[in-house]
Amino acid sequence: MANALALFQQLPDSILLHVFSFLDGASLVRTSSVCQQWYDVAYDEVLWRNLVHQKIQKHAPLPTDKHSWREEYKRLAYHIPSYLSQDVAGHEDEIYFLTFSPSGKFLASVGKDGTCRVWNYGSTITLQNTVGPFFNPPLKTRFCEFNESETLLMVTGLTQLFDFEGSIFVAVFSVPGR
C-alpha cells in the first residue's frame, strides 16, 4: 500500500490536475488531505472554476466580492437553497433573463416567447402582469430592469430574428400596483 501511495505522489501536478478534474467538490476536498502535493493541486483555481460553471450551467466571471473560485463554490453548494419550492408557469418558451426589483418584492422575466412578465415575489410567486408579445410575430426579448423606485420596467430585445444590423427595441412600462 505504501508503494502505491508513493507511486501516486510521484505523479506530476499536470497529471493529478487532469485526474482531479473528474471529481466533485466533496471528493476534491477529501483528496486534498492525502499529502501536501495533492492539497496544492486540489486547491487549483481552475478545478474550482470548472465546478462552479458546472453548478450554474454556464460560464461566468468570478463575482467581484469573491476572492477565489473555491469560495464561490462553497457559497453555491452550502449557502444557496437548491430545491424546487414552487413551479411557476407563464412563459411559453425559454426564459432568457430574470431580475429582482431593488426591494426584492418583484421578479421580472423575459423570454423567447417575446413577452415580459412581472411576478409578485414572496413565500409564493404569483403573476402580476404580462406585457407583449412585442411585434408580430413575437421577437426575442433579451433583458429587463427595474428602476430604483420600482415604478418603471425597461425591456429590450431584438427587432429581427437574425440581427446583423444591430437593431434593438427598448420599451419602458409602468409597473402595475406601485
Side-chain angles (χ1 to χ4, degrees):
M1 180 69 176
N3 289 339
L5 184 57
L7 177 66
F8 278 108
Q9 289 175 334
Q10 293 175 11
L11 290 174
D13 289 357
S14 59
I15 300 292
L16 290 174
L17 191 62
H18 178 72
V19 171
F20 290 1
S21 71
F22 295 98
L23 300 177
D24 62 12
S27 299
L28 204 50
V29 169
R30 283 192 300 275
T31 300
S32 71
S33 66
V34 171
C35 66
Q36 184 62 48
Q37 178 194 17
W38 286 28
Y39 176 89
D40 293 340
V41 173
Y43 282 82
D44 187 286
E45 283 290 289
V46 171
L47 293 171
W48 294 99
R49 181 193 65 205
N50 292 342
L51 287 172
V52 167
H53 290 168
Q54 286 174 8
K55 193 159 210 48
I56 64 175
Q57 299 179 350
K58 71 174 194 172
H59 292 278
L62 183 65
T64 56
D65 63 328
K66 299 297 179 225
H67 302 291
S68 73
W69 285 104
R70 182 175 169 271
E71 179 184 353
E72 178 64 0
Y73 179 84
K74 284 173 44 179
R75 183 185 74 82
L76 291 171
Y78 302 114
H79 302 292
I80 303 285
S82 59
Y83 59 90
L84 178 63
S85 62
Q86 181 181 347
D87 191 4
V88 179
H91 284 280
E92 297 173 13
D93 211 326
E94 297 171 46
I95 295 174
Y96 288 140
F97 189 81
L98 295 169
T99 187
F100 283 96
S101 66
S103 70
K105 293 179 184 176
F106 301 104
L107 177 67
S109 58
V110 294
K112 190 174 183 179
D113 62 2
T115 64
C116 177
R117 298 174 190 270
V118 178
W119 310 83
N120 292 312
Y121 184 78
S123 58
T124 59
I125 299 171
T126 57
L127 181 62
Q128 180 182 1
N129 194 28
T130 300
V131 289
F134 299 95
F135 301 99
N136 191 11
L139 298 172
K140 297 176 183 176
T141 52
R142 294 293 187 173
F143 179 80
C144 60
E145 186 71 41
F146 290 95
N147 67 342
E148 189 71 27
S149 61
E150 300 177 358
T151 57
L152 300 173
L153 180 66
M154 177 186 68
V155 179
T156 66
L158 303 175
T159 58
Q160 299 174 19
L161 187 56
F162 295 103
D163 193 3
F164 298 112
E165 300 297 317
S167 300
I168 62 169
F169 73 86
V170 176
V172 178
F173 298 96
S174 294
V175 177
R178 289 301 288 165

